[in-house]
């Protein structure tokens, strides 16, 4: 089943986010290589693709896992969690309808 990860950054997370980004992206690339990643990306703090110093307020990931527990376990090990970037991560089942 698909699961959506709704991740909320701590205030002023940009420095920690940039430091942990390579490890974070490596985990997403592994999901992509396994054909289990639908979409992933950050939510800019301002209305711009490149928010510069404003940084980001969080991330959205939609990926496939065998269960909610497996999705939650994967999310709990994200480098952005261990680096203190995310203040909270909510994982919910996601029903893909379109496209």
């Amino acid at each position: 089943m698909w699961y959506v990860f709704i991740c909320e950054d701590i205030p002023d997370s940009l420095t920690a986010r940039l430091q942990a980004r390579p490890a974070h992206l490596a985990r997403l690339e592994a999901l992509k290589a396994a054909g289990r990643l639908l979409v992933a990306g950050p939510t800019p703090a301002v209305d711009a693709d490149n928010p510069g110093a404003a940084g980001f307020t969080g991330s959205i990931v939609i990926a496939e896992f065998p269960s909610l527990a497996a999705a939650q376990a994967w999310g709990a090990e994200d480098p952005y969690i261990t680096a203190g970037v995310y203040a909270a991560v909510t994982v919910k089942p996601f029903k893909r309808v379109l496209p």
Side-chain angles (χ1 to χ4, degrees):
M1 178 160 199
W2 294 103
Y3 295 90
V4 60
F5 296 75
I6 305 162
C7 311
E8 299 290 332
D9 280 21
I10 62 167
D12 300 316
S13 64
L14 188 57
T15 299
R17 183 180 262 275
L18 292 174
Q19 290 173 349
R21 188 170 190 262
H24 171 77
L25 290 179
R27 294 180 83 233
L28 292 171
E29 287 290 343
L31 282 179
K32 179 182 171 189
R36 297 174 41 212
L37 182 64
L38 182 62
V39 67
T43 53
V46 295
D47 190 12
D49 282 343
N50 183 355
F56 301 90
T57 61
S59 302
I60 299 292
V61 174
I62 302 176
E64 190 175 33
F65 289 89
S67 68
L68 178 59
Q72 290 169 329
W74 182 87
E77 296 175 2
D78 193 284
Y80 282 175
I81 290 281
T82 57
V85 173
Y86 291 153
V89 175
T90 303
V91 182
K92 297 181 178 187
F94 178 80
K95 182 179 177 184
R96 183 177 178 183
V97 175
L98 295 170

